[in-house]
Amino acid sequence: MGDARQTIAKRAALEVKDGMMVNLGIGIPSLVPDYLDPSINVFFQAENGILGMGPTPSLAAADGNLSNAAGLPVTILPGASYFDSAIAFGMIRRGFIDVSILGALQVCSKGNLANWIVPGKRVPGVGGAMELAYGAKNLIALMTHCEKDGSPKIVKECSLPITTFACVKKIITEMAVFSIHDDGLRLDELIEGYTLSDIESSTGADYTISSSLA
């Protein structure tokens, strides 16, 4: 079954299509460029003012002055551009981002996203997640299927503070791929190594099963 984070990022990379403008959140989403098909031309955008990020550099090749919004080192591709955060957020707020891929702490069956704070832990603030969840044309949430104690992260109602309501269109975990529709959550795909029984015992919300899995 391999490393969960890498499995999730590899599957998420299949959602990125040629010509898209894509924003990646911190954590697992930042691994997605490492798994893109080389034939795909895509512009990755960062809120701190980059359009055209490439794969993660090796430690030796990292440039201390070139990072994404999380402060992690990145590379840039030919044709990349730099700009200030006001322009970066203008792109997001005006709906120019084709897909935003964000990490998540919880997602409910209605598509509510909780991804910015665990009560009692210090964080700098919600950051760009709120605007990305609202402004992107498509929002994909990446997360491990369960917490370390085994409790599900896909739930009927989020118990953590909400980032944005009814925004998530797809959930990708190391176990499965779900899509969210007006009538609720649908299991669309099993990740290799997992069964329908595994999903049933690890998911805290009701869902239907795609005809392709029935």
Side-chain angles (χ1 to χ4, degrees), residues 142-153:
L142 308 187
M143 61 184 181
T144 54
H145 207 92
C146 297
E147 298 283 2
K148 292 180 180 179
D149 64 3
S151 58
K153 292 185 178 182

Side-chain angles (χ1 to χ4, degrees), residues 56-130:
T56 304
S58 65
L59 184 61
D63 181 344
N65 295 310
L66 184 60
S67 69
N68 60 20
L72 300 174
V74 295
T75 58
I76 58 170
L77 300 176
S81 60
Y82 304 109
F83 35 84
D84 63 20
S85 290
I87 292 176
F89 278 97
M91 293 176 180
I92 295 167
R93 293 167 181 167
R94 289 293 301 273
F96 290 114
I97 303 301
D98 293 301
V99 60
S100 179
I101 303 177
L102 299 180
L105 298 170
Q106 289 180 337
V107 179
C108 83
S109 55
K110 299 175 184 177
N112 298 346
L113 172 69
N115 79 336
W116 76 279
I117 190 172
V118 175
K121 293 188 177 182
R122 293 184 64 185
V123 294
V126 68
M130 179 173 60

